[in-house]
Amino acid sequence: MWNGVLPAVTTKFTTDDKLDHKEMERCFGLYMDAGCDGLIVCGSLGEGPMLSHDEKLEVLATARAAAGGKPVLLTINEAATRDAQALAKRAAKAGADGLMIVPSPIYHTNDRETVDTLNAVASAGGLPVMIYSNRVAYRVDVTVPVMEELAANDLFVAIKESSDDIRRTTEVINAFGDRFDVLTGVDNLAFEALAVGAVGWVAGLVTAFPRETVAIYQLMKAGRSNEALAIYRWFRPLLDLDVSTYLVQNIKLAEAIEIGSNERVRMPRQPLAGARRAEVERIVREAINERPALPRLDRAA
């Protein structure tokens, strides 16, 4: 159902901490123009836990308007299952094409609790679901045995595989074939995941470097892995910025430098400062100065 490059977009704020819909429209349009295949809003990078339900639905509406008919998924990352169910229902009424569900962002559920929570939220929304498996950030691992229980529910169609173990992609495909679309969710494992069968990339640095991200994906799908690898090797220092406690600040700073956006975040986060900021600026500016020429791409490939 879902494949290609799906940006996990950042949420833009005004100077008085309101949603900046105009800037989000501009940025989302850049991703569509670069050839991205949809949008995922209000996830970890989108500061979802810092947004109210009303704000999340506003971001969803802005993304749908910019996506030109391509799929837009809303991330469900609520602490309480009942709140996640309520948001899932509202997302369906608001026209979301699907949901990306975090099993439990605060309480570390066991396998039974993980299965029951995911089923409850999926059923409440009635929309196709991408499972968000991220044991590093959320300490809840959606393993192959857990997915075996979820496979009985047709609403679960995909998994964002962010376990940080490249072997997991192959394990899921070996276990389920094409029952679940497997999308990689770790920027600096994207080439490796695509090489072993992932059909999509839920990407972070794409929000600052959309054309390079799309080029890697398209080249891999066209069987031009050597060309993709050359871009990926250049991209790696940037992609590492996604795997960090400060991924939101890192990527918003990259957006400010590369696409002229802003770095405003919602407290308790604050923009980078000091040595950490200087290091991220160095990485981004060096990458820009050494940017490779992109090969000609055929979207039909």
Side-chain angles (χ1 to χ4, degrees):
M1 177 168 289
W2 298 311
N3 55 53
V5 176
L6 301 177
V9 298
T10 57
T11 301
K12 296 300 180 183
F13 301 106
T14 63
T15 54
D16 58 350
D17 199 33
K18 302 292 195 304
L19 294 177
D20 189 342
H21 291 284
K22 184 175 181 180
E23 179 61 4
M24 284 189 280
E25 289 171 4
R26 184 184 77 87
C27 293
F28 298 167
L30 292 176
Y31 314 147
M32 295 298 100
D33 290 345
C36 291
D37 298 284
L39 299 170
I40 300 179
V41 300
C42 305
S44 306
L45 184 55
E47 298 173 76
M50 313 301 178
L51 305 175
S52 70
H53 285 194
D54 287 346
E55 287 178 316
K56 291 180 182 184
L57 294 172
E58 289 181 35
V59 175
L60 172 66
T62 298
R64 290 186 66 222
K70 293 182 178 180
V72 178
L73 282 63
L74 179 70
T75 306
I76 307 292
N77 46 15
E78 305 302 309
T81 301
R82 68 173 189 175
D83 295 334
Q85 291 175 291
L87 181 57
K89 291 178 182 178
R90 293 185 67 185
K93 290 180 181 179
D97 295 291
L99 305 173
M100 184 169 76
I101 304 178
V102 178
S104 180
I106 295 177
Y107 171 68
H108 307 150
T109 52
N110 62 33
D111 286 358
R112 179 181 59 81
E113 291 169 329
T114 299
V115 169
D116 289 349
T117 294
L118 286 168
N119 276 319
V121 179
S123 297
L127 293 172
V129 171
M130 181 185 299
I131 304 159
Y132 185 9
S133 177
N134 188 337
R135 65 185 181 186
V136 177
Y138 300 116
R139 300 185 188 179
V140 175
D141 195 5
V142 183
T143 60
V144 167
V146 170
M147 293 179 68
E148 287 172 350
E149 294 195 56
L150 297 173
N153 187 337
D154 290 340
L155 290 174
F156 295 108
V157 300
I159 183 164
K160 177 185 176 184
E161 215 305 289
S162 299
S163 68
D164 204 35
D165 182 351
I166 193 58
R167 294 169 293 190
R168 182 68 63 81
T169 298
T170 297
E171 290 167 2
V172 172
I173 294 171
N174 282 351
F176 300 104
D178 61 1
R179 167 62 184 85
F180 296 98
D181 288 337
V182 180
L183 294 89
T184 181
V186 181
D187 266 4
N188 61 6
L189 283 178
F191 178 90
E192 293 84 349
L194 293 170
V196 296
V199 300
W201 181 357
V202 179
L205 266 297
V206 65
T207 63
F209 295 89
R211 297 192 182 279
E212 289 81 2
T213 307
V214 169
I216 291 170
Y217 177 82
Q218 291 183 6
L219 288 166
M220 290 295 290
K221 292 306 172 183
R224 296 160 64 181
S225 59
N226 287 339
E227 294 170 273
L229 182 57
I231 302 168
Y232 185 69
R233 284 173 174 161
W234 161 83
F235 212 175
R236 261 299 304 273
L238 291 165
L239 298 178
D240 291 347
L241 298 176
D242 181 59
V243 187
S244 165
T245 302
Y246 298 96
L247 81 161
V248 176
Q249 294 97 317
N250 291 346
I251 292 175
K252 282 193 168 181
L253 178 53
E255 290 176 335
I257 294 170
E258 172 63 8
I259 64 170
S261 192
N262 66 70
E263 337 169 33
R264 289 190 283 271
V265 289
R266 178 159 283 177
M267 290 184 71
R269 285 189 178 91
Q270 296 184 6
L272 297 181
R276 181 172 287 114
R277 180 185 183 88
E279 177 62 8
V280 173
E281 283 192 352
R282 181 193 65 77
I283 291 169
V284 174
R285 295 190 189 282
E286 284 186 3
I288 291 170
N289 290 337
E290 299 168 2
R291 187 197 312 263
L294 299 181
R296 186 176 181 276
L297 295 164
D298 180 2
R299 274 296 281 174

